[in-house]
Amino acid sequence: MQDKKRHQVSIDGVSRTQTAEDKINTTVLSCFITDAGQETLKYLRQITIESVAGYNITSEELRHREGMRFLVGLIEQRIKEGKNVRARQSNKRRTGN
């Protein structure tokens, strides 16, 4: 129980308890696990991570794009972590712990 109250630095740089992290991760997973959520994430990937800028991009535009890419990457990581949380919860229910 003591572990759950200890704060750790999150993937977004904010210090939270593991319980708070798990809640955020499962909430993000719930938003993006639907067909509409998956299509939305696909669209966000296309306009950020998979988008290539031309040679004449300004420093400000590049920073803006990198910020958007970071957010999409953060969403994707939280989805993965949300799946891990659900798997752990499912395992606990099966084993009775």
Side-chain angles (χ1 to χ4, degrees):
M1 192 66 151
Q2 185 70 3
D3 263 353
K4 294 191 180 227
K5 294 187 181 195
R6 202 171 344 144
H7 281 70
Q8 60 188 24
V9 177
S10 175
I11 57 175
D12 58 15
V14 177
S15 178
R16 294 186 189 88
T17 63
Q18 187 59 53
T19 303
E21 279 294 301
D22 290 350
K23 182 169 176 58
I24 293 168
N25 292 335
T26 55
T27 301
V28 172
L29 174 63
S30 295
C31 292
F32 287 96
I33 203 167
T34 64
D35 289 342
Q38 290 176 3
E39 284 298 313
T40 301
L41 189 57
K42 181 179 172 183
Y43 163 72
L44 292 173
R45 273 191 72 78
Q46 287 173 343
I47 65 169
T48 59
I49 295 170
E50 297 169 359
S51 174
V52 178
Y55 69 92
N56 59 345
I57 190 169
T58 66
S59 176
E60 291 80 12
E61 289 172 317
L62 181 60
R63 289 182 181 138
H64 180 73
R65 282 178 182 249
E66 288 304 312
M68 292 190 311
R69 288 177 179 148
F70 177 79
L71 285 174
V72 172
L74 188 64
I75 291 168
E76 291 179 334
Q77 185 62 36
R78 290 216 176 263
I79 290 169
K80 288 178 190 173
E81 293 298 324
K83 289 177 182 178
N84 290 339
V85 170
R86 284 196 177 168
R88 284 194 311 268
Q89 290 171 345
S90 177
N91 287 340
K92 281 183 182 179
R93 278 187 234 117
R94 275 189 270 144
T95 61
N97 291 336

